[in-house]
Amino acid sequence: MDIINITYIWILIALIVLPINLIYKAPYGKHSTKKWGKSIDNKTGWILMELPALLTCPLIYFTISEEINLNVVFIVLWITHYLNRTVIYPLRIKTKGKKIPIAIVASAFFFNMVNGILNGYFLTLLQFESISELYLILGFIIFIIGFYINISSDNLLIKLRTNQKGYVIPNGKLFNYVSCPNFFGEIIEWLGFAIMTLNPGSLSFLIWTICNLIPRSKAHHKWYKENFENYPKKRKAVIPYLL
Ligand SMILES: NC(=O)c1ccc[n+]([C@@H]2O[C@H](COP(=O)([O-])OP(=O)(O)OC[C@H]3O[C@@H](n4cnc5c(N)ncnc54)[C@H](OP(=O)(O)O)[C@@H]3O)[C@@H](O)[C@H]2O)c1
């Protein structure tokens, strides 16, 4: 079976996982439960599960490419995102004493490995010169906006834990419109990446991100409404004014 067919099957799996994610909440963070078996330290879990994406994609590009070409720009954007997610973000989150189920770490490890391999492979094959300038510029701008929204929203959540250990209602910036602007930013970011690179690998990653984060944002939104009587009524889950 060739890599294109594998990627389409991978996309199909994401679409099958979507309704499952809508029914069963991923049991970490706000939705932690002991029912999912053994767990490990949360920060260690994040580093372990994101590591394959940080390593595989650049490794494939630098091993297969005969020379460093312009596609390296996409690899640098990938590394920038995953350096934050794998190293900086886990070291900054204030989740001391919190655990994450090994089952979640293992499934995310597998997800990140397949994702990293597919993106590494397609980014290596990409003909940079054949991408239209319009897609490149548009995709890049969307990617940067998404990256900024994702990081600044994660930062705001991290700051909420400065003086207390539990959960409070986040306010300010895009939190005034949605419960999960960090997820909104992540979706925008990979949408930009897919527009810039136009290949089955980045498309599959965008679809997986949507199938993971839309259900999680709906679960977070419901959780906020159930746990805070004064939760702002007009706030949506993930897409301002829409969803
Ligand atoms: N591309 C993908 O498929 C994908 C999948 C999953 C995650 N991600 C990205 O990974 C990042 C983290 O994801 P996540 O699911 O852990 O995000 P999250 O549930 O929003 O939590 C982010 C951090 O903020 C803390 N936090 C959340 N709400 C809080 C509140 N109301 N008060 C105080 N602290 C609060 C959390 O602590 P607790 O852990 O204690 O809840 C956690 O440390 C996000 O940027 C997301 O976009 C991407």
Side-chain angles (χ1 to χ4, degrees):
M1 197 185 294
D2 67 16
I3 190 107
I4 303 240
N5 285 331
I6 293 176
T7 312
Y8 290 142
I9 292 173
W10 184 235
I11 291 176
L12 190 68
I13 298 173
L15 298 175
I16 294 169
V17 164
L18 174 67
I20 299 173
N21 276 345
L22 283 166
I23 300 169
Y24 303 101
K25 296 171 278 202
Y28 68 93
K30 289 184 183 74
H31 315 290
S32 284
T33 146
K34 291 201 170 117
K35 286 184 209 155
W36 280 67
K38 284 210 160 113
S39 50
I40 58 169
D41 171 68
N42 187 58
K43 280 173 190 268
T44 314
W46 271 97
I47 295 171
L48 283 178
M49 64 190 183
E50 301 294 325
L51 200 58
L54 174 66
L55 298 180
T56 49
C57 176
L59 240 145
I60 288 176
Y61 174 77
F62 289 112
T63 353
I64 301 183
S65 287
E66 282 162 11
E67 54 180 24
I68 306 290
N69 51 20
L70 285 169
N71 295 0
V72 79
V73 172
F74 303 131
I75 302 292
V76 169
L77 294 179
W78 181 277
I79 294 176
T80 308
H81 174 90
Y82 275 106
L83 209 55
N84 174 57
R85 182 66 70 242
T86 313
V87 184
I88 302 169
Y89 174 77
L91 293 178
R92 294 183 62 223
I93 45 175
K94 300 197 176 76
T95 57
K96 204 171 167 206
K98 285 208 164 188
K99 302 241 173 201
I100 185 164
I102 291 176
I104 289 289
V105 177
S107 59
F109 184 96
F110 177 72
F111 161 69
N112 281 312
M113 197 167 65
V114 178
N115 215 21
I117 292 172
L118 292 179
N119 278 278
Y121 185 80
F122 284 106
L123 290 179
T124 306
L125 293 186
L126 208 65
Q127 298 289 320
F128 192 99
E129 295 71 17
S130 68
I131 306 173
S132 94
E133 269 180 31
L134 176 70
Y135 284 128
L136 266 180
I137 295 168
L138 187 71
F140 182 74
I141 293 170
I142 294 175
F143 178 89
I144 294 297
I145 292 173
F147 186 67
Y148 172 76
I149 295 175
N150 176 253
I151 295 217
S152 60
S153 310
D154 274 344
N155 282 348
L156 202 144
L157 287 174
I158 291 169
K159 271 198 202 134
L160 288 180
R161 285 265 165 84
T162 309
N163 300 317
Q164 51 81 44
K165 270 188 140 186
Y167 293 105
V168 290
I169 300 178
N171 284 306
K173 296 192 176 174
L174 276 175
F175 280 101
N176 293 337
Y177 302 91
V178 289
S179 296
C180 306
N182 49 344
F183 300 165
F184 177 60
E186 182 105 21
I187 293 170
I188 298 281
E189 197 180 333
W190 296 113
L191 170 69
F193 198 76
I195 293 174
M196 245 190 303
T197 59
L198 282 184
N199 70 80
S202 57
L203 176 69
S204 74
F205 187 23
L206 172 65
I207 293 172
W208 263 101
T209 300
I210 292 171
C211 294
N212 283 336
L213 295 184
I214 296 285
R216 188 157 171 82
S217 68
K218 285 177 82 73
H220 275 20
H221 190 59
K222 187 165 177 271
W223 180 94
Y224 276 121
K225 286 199 285 187
E226 285 168 358
N227 284 276
F228 295 100
E229 267 180 25
N230 56 340
Y231 197 65
K233 300 246 175 318
K234 283 191 175 163
R235 208 174 278 192
K236 296 283 184 186
V238 63
I239 302 175
Y241 304 110
L242 277 179
L243 182 71

